[in-house]
Amino acid sequence: MKKHITRTILCFAALTVMAVILFSISLTSGSSSLRAIDAFRILTGNQQNDAAQRIIFDIRMPRALSAMLLGGALSVSGFLLQSFFRNPIAGPFVLGISSGAKLCVAWIMIASLQHGFVLHSAAMIAAAFCGALICMLTILLFAGKVQNMSQLIISGVMIGYICSALTDFAVTFADDANIVNLHNWSRGSFAGADWMDVRDMAVLVLAGLAGAIWMSKPISAYQLGETYAANMGVRIRAFRLALILLSSLLSACVTAFAGPVSFVGIAVPHLVKSMLRTAKPLLVIPAAFLGGGVFCMGCDLLARTLFTPQELSVSTVTAVFGAPVVIWVMLRRERERSAS
Amino acid sequence: MNPVLHTRELSVGYQHKIVVSGLTFHANAGEILTLIGPNGAGKSTVLKTIAAQLPPISGTIALCGDSLVGLSPHEVATRISLLLTGKPAAERMTCFDVAATGRYPYTGRFGLLSSKDREIVHDALCMVEAESLADTDFRCISDGQRQIVMLARAIAQQPRILLLDEPTSYLDISHKLRILTRLRTLAKERQIAVIQSLHELDLAQKFSDSVLCIHAQRAERCGTPEEIFSGDYISTLYGISTGKYDPLYGTAEASPVTGKPRIFVIGGNGSGIPVYRKLHRAGIPFAAGILHENDVDCPAAHALGAKVITERAFEPISDATYQEAETCLRQCEAVYCSLPAFGTGNARLAVLRDFAEKTHLLIQDLQTWLRSEMESTCNTHSSLTDH
């Protein structure tokens, strides 16, 4: 018991320290010729430099914050989906939910740009939420029909491909002027967030996080299976609906602001569970949020600094680190199955 | 006695398809009610309905005096707990964690356990003698232990009614007995009404206070095990057409090998049973005798033998019976005696044995006889195919 508590405290402390360190590095490094030491001085208020100040406060800081928030949202959403489908490799990207959100956002973006006005972020989020919900419901339809969990994942991946194809189709016929922007976004990137965006996403993501923590008790009951959960007094229909809405909201929020970001939703919850050595939602959800933030800030940092001035898409980096985790999870499950 | 659960003219099923109807029964505190019936009869559907996971189609269910339909999920959770067959997937949970999920209806918003909750969970684990497993990962224990821990979970929920759907499936005999013994103690000590479905009729007979038989979409019979497990009812209930079910011993036997008996077995006092089984496996029709009707060999001989010659219980073997046995023996190809010695009650069997020896029918080694029999049948078969 005591060991568990120590471990939990250590994990949260480690994640917080990592978040702080990565945040600081994010502010002080980048493609601009700004030296780290100068950036540090500006942050502490010991140096005045308008341009540099703008780079740090208006570009790097919102970007780091959005990576933190959206990364957290993705991994919490992944954890919710894994609990919902009782499938360890479920996640917003794998199940095609991100791609569905992406499709809706792309279409609405192009439509609005053609009519010459720029979309408010609320409209983007609403579109992404609709797309995510539509895909989620399609997946649920499949889930009712297929018993096998790998079939569910396959149908999710296929839905993702269809949505991506339709998105590409839209991008191809979009105005030249918008393509660059749209193309960047559709590959996944935390760039371009301003303070207004950060405020909007903070409200939504933190609300989603609070909702997830609020539901941690029924989620823990659900881990034993639906029948047992019902026997413990969980109102199953309401619970499932809440879980669908929450995970769709979180992944829609990410897609609206940063496009599809792969593998965070699967990899981070598993890493966090291994760290904590427990699957208790009350602990895993906040830890997954922190962990997802750290993971995405780290990946974003690599994406923009590794080959400066060229910037990688963040999905490229998250896939490199996330995909091996998925393979590891599957191998571990296979080992458990053969052991029992 | 005050029934905890009472159903009246209950029909259960899915949407418009009625699976079982006419269920009127009650479950008393401190007693075990067992549902038996063939596969697919609807035992699980009945349990699901009582657990409030499936709305009843018609009829009423009263739980401690309240109508089940009107209760909130939380109220149901504090009165009924469940144990299902099969492995629940519990990722990274210790057995204590799993058992502690039983406290769910009693904990607060975030499900944190109070020290009293921990004590109750610990007590539940102790009750099923699984306290040593508390810190073990739930995935790393055997199926039997898992079922035991799930029982602790159900106990920790402090229900008035415990519902179990085939709690002993997939378990070895020692775990079956352990689970059922625990259930009986639990029912008595905590005055819980236990309702379970079982496939093992012998165990149902031994561990139930009352038995409800579900057959042909109806609650066919309800009564004490003594009432249910008598006569040919069980064979009818399960539609046994091949083989035989002995309600007295709770044993099932395969159909006899019929035909003209080829070997006569002189047995009794349990010595005949292994011989009957060996012959039955080899597919050789046999006659058994002379058995007293109260001899332990009798049920098996009746189930497996082509002919059984019996004498009334507690009577010495009469002349008529002896004659019948001798006639039958004479027509057999061989005689085997499984009795090492005879007493005053079956002294005439010694005479029968000596008669067989005189007529050179008596064989000493059954195994050798069986082997030569097998070979000769094989030869006949191969010579037939040669032509």
Side-chain angles (χ1 to χ4, degrees):
Chain A
M1 199 52 222
K2 200 141 212 159
K3 250 164 65 186
H4 283 299
I5 296 174
T6 323
R7 176 170 274 277
T8 310
I9 293 172
L10 275 177
C11 283
F12 276 96
L15 284 173
T16 315
V17 169
M18 276 163 80
V20 171
I21 292 175
L22 280 170
F23 187 70
S24 320
I25 298 176
S26 296
L27 295 188
T28 50
S29 62
S31 55
S32 134
S33 54
L34 198 64
R35 284 183 309 151
I37 186 78
D38 292 329
F40 184 73
R41 284 199 185 121
I42 290 168
L43 277 172
T44 50
N46 290 335
Q47 195 175 329
Q48 296 291 320
N49 179 339
D50 267 0
Q53 227 164 357
R54 197 167 306 137
I55 287 174
I56 290 171
F57 284 108
D58 291 345
I59 296 175
R60 287 182 186 171
M61 202 181 269
R63 179 170 181 161
L65 280 174
S66 67
M68 172 80 213
L69 284 167
L70 298 180
L74 267 180
S75 82
V76 171
S77 161
F79 177 74
L80 296 180
L81 288 169
Q82 284 150 27
S83 306
F84 185 87
F85 288 107
R86 313 180 53 71
N87 186 328
I89 53 171
F93 192 76
V94 172
L95 290 176
I97 294 164
S98 295
S99 308
K102 176 174 105 170
L103 174 66
C104 275
V105 175
W107 280 91
I108 201 172
M109 248 181 170
I110 290 163
S112 69
L113 287 171
Q114 255 159 12
H115 291 90
F117 61 91
V118 180
L119 270 180
H120 190 257
S121 60
M124 301 251 288
I125 296 168
F129 188 60
C130 290
L133 266 186
I134 291 169
C135 274
M136 186 80 186
L137 294 176
T138 320
I139 285 286
L140 279 176
L141 221 65
F142 281 119
K145 296 222 192 309
V146 298
Q147 294 302 315
N148 190 326
M149 277 303 165
S150 31
Q151 285 174 336
L152 181 75
I153 296 290
I154 291 168
S155 33
V157 171
M158 292 306 131
I159 289 174
Y161 273 117
I162 293 168
C163 292
S164 291
L166 291 174
T167 313
D168 286 347
F169 180 79
V171 171
T172 312
F173 290 100
D175 272 343
D176 283 348
N178 310 320
I179 278 189
V180 182
N181 208 357
L182 200 60
H183 194 66
N184 257 344
W185 169 83
S186 75
R187 289 188 330 171
S189 162
F190 293 117
D194 59 28
W195 279 106
M196 290 291 278
D197 293 338
V198 171
R199 192 198 62 193
D200 291 349
M201 68 177 82
V203 169
L204 282 172
V205 170
L206 293 178
L209 175 68
I213 293 174
W214 187 248
M215 280 175 65
S216 58
K217 188 183 169 187
I219 294 173
S220 75
Y222 207 72
Q223 283 173 336
L224 274 190
E226 201 175 300
T227 326
Y228 282 118
N231 179 236
M232 292 177 218
V234 178
R235 290 173 195 270
I236 295 292
R237 271 165 188 275
F239 169 74
R240 287 174 65 108
L241 184 69
L243 215 56
I244 290 170
L245 290 177
L246 261 185
S247 54
S248 299
L249 172 75
L250 287 170
S251 46
C253 192
V254 177
T255 310
F257 287 109
V261 181
S262 59
F263 293 107
V264 181
I266 307 175
V268 175
H270 283 289
L271 291 172
V272 162
K273 277 186 251 177
S274 306
M275 266 174 81
L276 290 169
R277 298 238 174 102
T278 177
K280 285 194 184 99
L282 190 58
L283 297 176
V284 172
I285 291 170
F289 183 79
L290 271 176
V294 167
F295 189 84
C296 279
M297 269 203 294
C299 288
D300 187 46
L301 195 60
L302 288 176
R304 65 192 176 90
T305 55
L306 220 47
F307 299 104
T308 36
Q310 273 291 331
E311 197 170 298
L312 296 170
S313 88
V314 73
S315 271
T316 313
V317 186
T318 54
V320 167
F321 291 104
V325 176
V326 177
I327 294 171
W328 166 69
V329 169
M330 285 195 301
L331 287 180
R332 205 187 55 179
R333 263 173 74 84
E334 199 48 55
R335 209 170 48 228
E336 269 162 21
R337 200 173 303 154
S338 54
S340 70
Chain B
M1 188 158 312
N2 192 19
V4 181
L5 180 104
H6 210 289
T7 73
R8 199 180 298 279
E9 283 307 316
L10 176 69
S11 296
V12 302
Y14 300 88
Q15 269 140 29
H16 300 291
K17 189 180 168 286
I18 292 179
V19 178
V20 186
S21 60
L23 288 155
T24 299
F25 66 92
H26 58 266
N28 292 330
E31 289 189 0
I32 298 180
L33 168 68
T34 304
L35 272 59
I36 61 169
N39 281 335
K43 300 186 291 287
S44 301
T45 317
V46 175
L47 289 177
K48 255 189 206 163
T49 311
I50 301 172
Q53 303 213 344
L54 204 62
I57 293 179
S58 65
T60 56
I61 310 173
L63 188 61
C64 320
D66 303 315
S67 167
L68 182 72
V69 184
L71 295 175
S72 73
H74 174 81
E75 284 172 310
V76 173
T78 54
R79 300 188 199 188
I80 297 181
S81 69
L82 260 186
L83 176 65
L84 307 167
T85 190
K87 302 179 197 174
E91 203 195 358
R92 288 187 190 280
M93 283 173 102
T94 63
C95 292
F96 185 89
D97 290 338
V98 172
T101 61
R103 297 306 297 159
Y104 186 97
Y106 305 97
T107 53
R109 180 65 237 178
F110 293 108
L112 298 172
L113 297 171
S114 67
S115 56
K116 186 165 167 284
D117 288 322
R118 298 191 158 277
E119 204 175 295
I120 290 168
V121 175
H122 183 75
D123 279 354
L125 282 169
C126 288
M127 183 153 195
V128 296
E129 292 169 21
E131 67 269 32
S132 58
L133 292 174
D135 290 327
T136 318
D137 191 306
F138 189 66
R139 293 169 301 179
C140 300
I141 57 178
S142 73
D143 285 357
Q145 288 171 324
R146 232 174 258 146
Q147 200 70 336
I148 292 276
V149 172
M150 291 309 283
L151 180 61
R153 188 205 82 83
I155 297 170
Q157 205 169 330
Q158 296 184 316
R160 305 286 305 276
I161 298 178
L162 178 53
L163 296 178
L164 308 101
D165 194 6
E166 291 169 27
T168 53
S169 299
Y170 314 118
L171 302 189
D172 63 29
I173 186 69
S174 112
H175 277 105
K176 278 184 210 267
L177 290 173
R178 196 165 153 197
I179 282 256
L180 291 170
T181 312
R182 289 285 159 277
L183 281 180
R184 173 168 282 177
T185 334
L186 184 69
K188 289 276 172 302
E189 278 182 12
R190 312 232 165 151
Q191 285 298 301
I192 294 175
V194 175
I195 305 177
Q196 61 175 350
S197 66
L198 274 190
H199 269 307
E200 294 88 346
L201 295 176
D202 49 335
L203 298 175
Q205 185 177 10
K206 287 162 197 161
F207 284 94
S208 319
D209 294 295
S210 50
V211 178
L212 177 67
C213 308
I214 295 172
H215 180 43
Q217 306 191 328
R218 278 180 47 241
E220 206 168 68
R221 273 195 197 188
C222 187
T224 64
E226 291 71 32
E227 286 163 6
I228 302 295
F229 293 93
S230 62
D232 280 339
Y233 177 64
I234 295 297
S235 295
T236 325
L237 174 65
Y238 282 89
I240 301 177
S241 52
T242 51
K244 199 169 186 248
Y245 183 80
D246 185 335
L248 210 54
Y249 289 95
T251 51
E253 296 282 8
S255 305
V257 182
T258 50
K260 184 178 165 294
R262 292 178 53 197
I263 180 166
F264 192 99
V265 183
I266 302 173
N269 195 24
S271 70
I273 296 174
V275 179
Y276 305 152
R277 296 214 185 288
K278 218 176 255 175
L279 291 167
H280 184 264
R281 276 202 299 276
I284 293 170
F286 66 90
I290 303 167
L291 299 171
H292 279 98
E293 275 160 5
N294 58 344
D295 197 293
V296 282
D297 279 359
C298 236
H302 277 298
L304 303 174
K307 186 171 171 65
V308 186
I309 294 153
T310 55
E311 180 55 75
R312 280 170 302 150
F314 312 116
E315 293 287 338
I317 294 166
S318 67
D319 288 340
T321 315
Y322 180 80
Q323 280 311 319
E324 189 194 352
E326 201 189 279
T327 322
C328 176
L329 182 148
R330 247 193 266 244
Q331 287 162 357
C332 290
E333 295 161 33
V335 177
Y336 180 74
C337 179
S338 62
L339 276 172
F342 306 95
T344 46
N346 61 359
R348 278 198 128 150
L349 287 184
V351 183
L352 194 65
R353 198 193 93 105
D354 292 342
F355 175 79
E357 197 160 20
K358 241 187 289 171
T359 48
H360 304 292
L361 285 172
L362 190 73
I363 53 165
Q364 297 299 333
D365 188 351
L366 184 69
Q367 205 62 46
T368 321
W369 184 79
L370 273 174
R371 204 174 299 134
S372 65
E373 278 304 301
M374 292 299 201
E375 275 161 18
S376 67
T377 26
C378 286
N379 289 341
T380 342
H381 273 288
S382 52
S383 60
L384 279 174
T385 43
D386 282 349
H387 289 295

